[in-house]
Amino acid sequence: MRLGYSAMPLHPLGRTWAETLQEDREAVILADSLGFHDAFIGEHLTDQHENITNSLLFLATLISDTQHIRLATGTTNLSQQHPVLVAANSAMFDHLSNGRFILGISPGALTSDAEALGILNEDRNGIFAEAIDVITKIWELDPPYSIDLPNNRFKVTTETTVDLDLGVGIMPKPLQRPRPEIVGTVVAPFSKGVIAMGRRDFHPLSANFLLPQWVATHWPNYVQGKQAAGQVADPADWRVARTVFVADDPAVARAYGRDYENSPYRFYYSQMLKKMRKLGRLELFKTDRDQPDEQVTLDHVLDKLVITGTPDSVTEQILAFREEIGEFGELVYAGLDWVDPRLARRSMELMAQKVMPDVNAALDAAK
């Protein structure tokens, strides 16, 4: 099982933007030094707490300061940019990073972003689906492209202006061929989008704020999509994010990972609970869909979704989680605000140097 990193990121108010951006960079640099496989970074335009407006721009600042970690948008919100821009900028990034790029994609869920861009009433899921079709076509085809897909608003061509001798009218292709890995974040239980991912050979990343029983619904749908394409699904392609805090002392693990008033884990899920309640999506936190809303408290959510403890305890919890949802290829560690930088760094160190080796040793022994 690989170890990955993901951050929305989400910070409390009161810190300067420069400070939180630097902290987010330090987390990815640390992950690289500890051997994390990849780092997914989110983006929003209009959220004070989620401070990265363009994940690709942010990740570009990390290319020279990291050596091995794969740099992933987590996600590029495809309803918010023309697919020609995404295809061209992603291709350049792939070359700048020497092929360490992963394109993480989603429609873009924040409604205030959509309103600011004037697309609040648009079918953003539809735009997303059309955009990714065009992006992959741009990478597949040669100029003048002549992309005019059925029921797709994006018509892309350079037929009128292309001049091969001058080198104009030619869009860049990524370093990785035929294309970089494409990863879609999965939030909804029983998501039908995962079926489409399987058909297209995109890879799913199940969100860290989903209960295990809902995470488990993703893999059968991915298998279904793969079968429809005449292929066999490989669990190595399934990433699952979890909210984890590891400490040397169990009391510290419990306090910082759950009970402490200023715990970044309590803050994170307090924010997520408010957002999902406002969006009418509390079912993500429910053990069954008939559970009354008033039972979905912050402590209930923390109990269900935060894995915290000493390395041995966290190892046991991860193995139990895997037993519940099935085999998957990568555990994606959710990065939160560094309220205590010493504890935050130590958690990542213990996760990489103790927990994951023990998890993999246990999996090897069980074969």
Side-chain angles (χ1 to χ4, degrees), residues 63-354:
I63 293 172
S64 297
D65 290 329
T66 56
Q67 298 297 317
H68 305 291
I69 196 167
R70 300 180 69 79
L71 301 171
T73 58
T75 61
T76 295
N77 297 325
L78 295 186
S79 69
Q80 299 176 6
Q81 299 181 60
H82 195 285
V84 168
L85 293 174
V86 176
N89 292 334
S90 296
M92 183 179 73
F93 187 97
D94 197 36
H95 285 267
L96 285 170
S97 65
N98 196 29
R100 287 194 284 139
F101 176 60
I102 298 172
L103 177 61
I105 57 172
S106 74
L110 190 61
T111 53
S112 57
D113 283 0
E115 182 180 12
L117 292 167
I119 58 171
L120 183 60
N121 297 318
E122 296 285 335
D123 177 8
R124 297 190 296 282
N125 286 320
I127 298 172
F128 162 78
E130 294 166 24
I132 193 59
D133 285 344
V134 171
I135 291 165
T136 54
K137 278 293 181 186
I138 290 171
W139 289 344
E140 290 170 9
L141 299 176
D142 294 320
Y145 309 102
S146 302
I147 300 170
D148 188 357
L149 301 173
N151 302 312
N152 192 310
R153 76 197 68 201
F154 299 109
K155 316 300 180 186
V156 177
T157 185
T158 59
E159 188 173 4
T160 303
T161 55
V162 66
D163 188 321
L164 299 181
D165 292 333
L166 282 176
V168 298
I170 304 168
M171 286 184 273
K173 296 188 185 298
L175 176 62
Q176 300 175 79
R177 302 309 311 271
R179 58 165 173 77
E181 181 182 10
I182 297 176
V183 174
T185 300
V186 191
V187 174
F190 304 98
S191 170
K192 298 301 181 186
V194 185
I195 300 174
M197 287 186 204
R199 289 198 191 104
R200 301 288 300 275
D201 195 30
F202 301 165
H203 299 156
L205 193 169
S206 299
N208 62 299
F209 47 83
L210 271 180
L211 296 181
Q213 68 200 70
W214 305 135
V215 174
T217 67
H218 294 163
W219 183 246
N221 282 4
Y222 189 67
V223 170
Q224 181 182 335
K226 279 289 188 181
Q227 289 174 340
Q231 299 173 352
V232 177
D234 184 351
D237 294 334
W238 186 20
R239 292 172 171 86
V240 179
R242 290 289 90 183
T243 315
V244 182
F245 175 63
V246 197
D248 295 289
D249 182 282
V252 172
R254 174 79 181 183
Y256 191 79
R258 188 187 186 286
D259 294 341
Y260 176 46
E261 182 180 355
N262 290 329
S263 162
Y265 295 82
R266 178 167 286 274
F267 169 73
Y268 174 86
Y269 276 109
S270 174
Q271 289 295 112
M272 293 302 296
L273 187 56
K274 291 173 188 175
K275 286 184 177 181
M276 294 307 167
R277 195 181 298 277
K278 182 174 181 178
L279 292 170
R281 302 197 66 183
L282 277 182
E283 76 277 0
L284 299 180
F285 300 138
K286 294 183 178 183
T287 53
D288 68 76
R289 286 175 165 174
D290 294 326
Q291 184 179 7
D293 287 359
E294 58 269 18
Q295 291 184 8
V296 185
T297 64
L298 178 56
D299 285 334
H300 164 85
V301 171
L302 290 166
D303 284 341
K304 296 294 183 182
L305 290 174
V306 178
I307 295 174
T308 185
T310 60
D312 288 347
S313 173
V314 170
T315 297
E316 291 176 3
Q317 292 175 70
I318 290 172
L319 290 170
F321 172 72
R322 182 183 181 275
E323 187 70 23
E324 183 174 358
I325 73 163
E327 184 180 357
F328 58 95
E330 180 172 317
L331 181 76
V332 180
Y333 179 102
L336 306 185
D337 185 84
W338 285 6
V339 171
D340 186 325
R342 179 184 60 85
L343 290 178
R345 287 176 173 274
R346 183 59 176 158
S347 178
M348 291 178 65
E349 291 169 357
L350 290 171
M351 190 71 194
Q353 297 171 350
K354 177 64 176 171

